[in-house]
Amino acid sequence: MELSNVGSLHGPGQGEVCPNLLRVAVLMAVLLCPASWVHAGASVDPTRDYLLWYRNYDSPAIHALVKLALRKTPEYGSYRLVRSQELSQGRVLRELSRNQSRLVDIANVATSQEREAFLTAVPIPIDGGLLGFRVCVVRPENLPLFTNIRTLEDLEGSNIRIGQGTHWPDTEVLRANNIKVVTHTRYEILFSMLRNDRFECFARGASEVLYDLEVEADPNLVIEPDILLAYAMPSYLFVAQEDRQTAHRLQLGMERAILDGSFGEFLKTYYGRAVKELNLPRRRVLVLENPYLSEDSGNVGRRTLETLRRRLDLLSR
């Protein structure tokens, strides 16, 4: 997979539609779902409150996808989607691991082998794999630092430091690729650290960065225009390990959305703009290895990278 030297990411697929491009990776992941998730006679609450992690609730895309999955599964009963307390990502994962927590029910985070071991993942990449494609949020005066970064080796040998969350799987991926990383437990604090020159690049997923900057509304933060960091990093919905009913409802809803085309429409609506405005098809791609995925998610992630050209081309139309 020789993507690190790719300058232009345009490819074939002129007659295809977005759901078909994702079908192989997505349905492969669906087939990996334990059969025990699907069971007859499961009790259904008349109305259930689902507490969605506040950062996901506040994200228009993730909020819309969770509602789409719940709406596609009326046989599970009526629902209300509720914003959780403002918890750090590390706290959210600890709460979900307790199984009985009522602080949060659903969280969308990047996957890792460790997370899949103590939580239940819905193994469908919620954004078509865009979370593993990262761009740099920078201060304008630091843009010249990136001019000569054309390979992963150039980045390793530079003085560029990348800001990331302490508990994010991306942090260890970057370190495994010999990149300098500065961390903090709170996502919001990382923007202040960038402003205060604690690091030069806040690496944000292509699927989230435009929303981030709209919220920050800071003209002194810009997106570096030429570099795309790419690594296998599927982003899943996670629930508590014993909450099989919620896991199956979300997965069944997403499967139905894939098959009826509404998942493809979701991707186009919420991520097509990012692909265009970030000019992803024409960026210099630096491919990083991710040694922390389970075998199943590694297969999904590799397929995501392999189909990068065609998906970016379609989403940019």
Side-chain angles (χ1 to χ4, degrees), residues 26-40 76 116-117 119-124 236-249 251-252 255 294 296-297:
V26 170
L27 293 185
M28 178 176 67
V30 168
L31 292 174
L32 299 172
C33 171
S36 61
W37 289 15
V38 185
H39 53 282
Y76 281 82
E116 291 177 26
L119 301 175
T120 295
V122 179
I124 300 174
Y236 297 152
L237 297 175
F238 282 88
V239 302
Q241 194 167 58
E242 296 177 4
D243 192 2
R244 299 297 179 85
Q245 187 176 107
T246 300
H248 182 246
R249 179 172 191 170
Q251 176 155 341
L252 181 61
E255 288 178 33
S294 66
D296 293 339
S297 289

Side-chain angles (χ1 to χ4, degrees), residues 25-314:
V26 170
L27 293 185
M28 178 176 67
V30 168
L31 292 174
L32 299 172
C33 171
S36 61
W37 289 15
V38 185
H39 53 282
S43 60
V44 176
D45 297 329
T47 298
R48 176 170 172 181
D49 287 348
Y50 291 97
L51 277 74
L52 180 62
W53 182 31
Y54 86 99
R55 280 190 53 199
N56 300 154
Y57 188 96
D58 293 346
S59 165
I62 301 171
H63 187 275
L65 180 62
V66 175
K67 288 192 73 172
L68 176 64
L70 295 175
R71 191 169 66 249
K72 294 285 183 183
T73 49
E75 65 269 38
Y76 281 82
S78 57
Y79 68 89
R80 289 184 300 181
L81 197 57
V82 180
R83 188 180 190 267
S84 81
Q85 299 179 23
E86 296 192 2
L87 308 171
S88 70
Q89 186 172 133
R91 175 73 185 280
V92 165
L93 298 178
R94 289 194 298 274
E95 289 295 330
L96 286 176
S97 70
R98 293 171 54 193
N99 285 306
Q100 301 300 317
S101 173
R102 287 304 300 161
L103 294 181
V104 64
D105 295 312
I106 305 168
N108 164 238
V109 293
T111 194
S112 69
Q113 188 169 14
E114 178 185 13
R115 291 176 175 184
E116 291 177 26
F118 68 87
L119 301 175
T120 295
V122 179
I124 300 174
I126 64 102
D127 57 4
L130 289 179
L131 185 67
F133 307 141
R134 300 233 156 195
V135 297
C136 284
V137 178
V138 304
R139 295 188 303 151
E141 55 266 39
N142 283 333
L143 283 171
L145 297 175
F146 298 84
T147 303
N148 295 320
I149 304 298
R150 299 190 171 276
T151 66
L152 183 58
E153 290 72 22
D154 291 338
L155 184 59
E156 292 174 12
S158 73
N159 292 319
I160 294 172
R161 299 164 294 177
I162 293 182
Q164 291 285 270
T166 303
H167 302 289
W168 299 355
D170 312 74
T171 299
E172 294 308 316
V173 171
L174 292 168
R175 286 174 172 159
N177 287 269
N178 301 314
I179 295 172
K180 305 173 186 69
V181 184
V182 178
T183 67
H184 196 279
T185 57
R186 290 297 301 270
Y187 151 82
E188 294 85 355
I189 299 299
L190 287 161
F191 281 102
S192 297
M193 294 172 69
L194 176 62
R195 293 183 184 99
N196 292 321
D197 204 29
R198 295 286 303 278
F199 48 81
E200 291 71 40
C201 161
F202 188 6
R204 301 298 293 145
S207 58
E208 60 195 1
V209 67
L210 295 179
Y211 173 74
D212 290 345
L213 293 187
E214 287 172 1
V215 172
E216 290 297 313
D218 185 346
N220 293 313
L221 296 179
V222 299
I223 298 171
E224 193 281 328
D226 297 319
I227 294 171
L228 180 65
L229 302 175
Y231 43 90
M233 180 64 74
S235 175
Y236 297 152
L237 297 175
F238 282 88
V239 302
Q241 194 167 58
E242 296 177 4
D243 192 2
R244 299 297 179 85
Q245 187 176 107
T246 300
H248 182 246
R249 179 172 191 170
L250 292 170
Q251 176 155 341
L252 181 61
M254 292 176 70
E255 288 178 33
R256 288 173 175 171
I258 291 167
L259 293 175
D260 69 16
S262 53
F263 184 73
E265 289 301 314
F266 158 79
L267 290 177
K268 187 74 173 179
T269 298
Y270 288 97
Y271 301 125
R273 173 193 165 208
V275 172
K276 291 179 182 178
E277 293 193 16
L278 298 175
N279 197 25
L280 297 187
R282 299 193 180 280
R283 284 175 173 258
R284 294 193 300 273
V285 181
L286 310 183
V287 175
L288 286 67
E289 295 296 324
N290 182 355
Y292 301 109
L293 294 176
S294 66
E295 181 178 356
D296 293 339
S297 289
N299 290 335
V300 173
R302 281 188 290 275
R303 182 59 60 91
T304 298
L305 285 176
E306 289 167 1
T307 60
L308 172 62
R309 299 166 185 258
R310 289 181 294 162
R311 287 184 295 108
L312 291 184
D313 182 51
L314 283 175

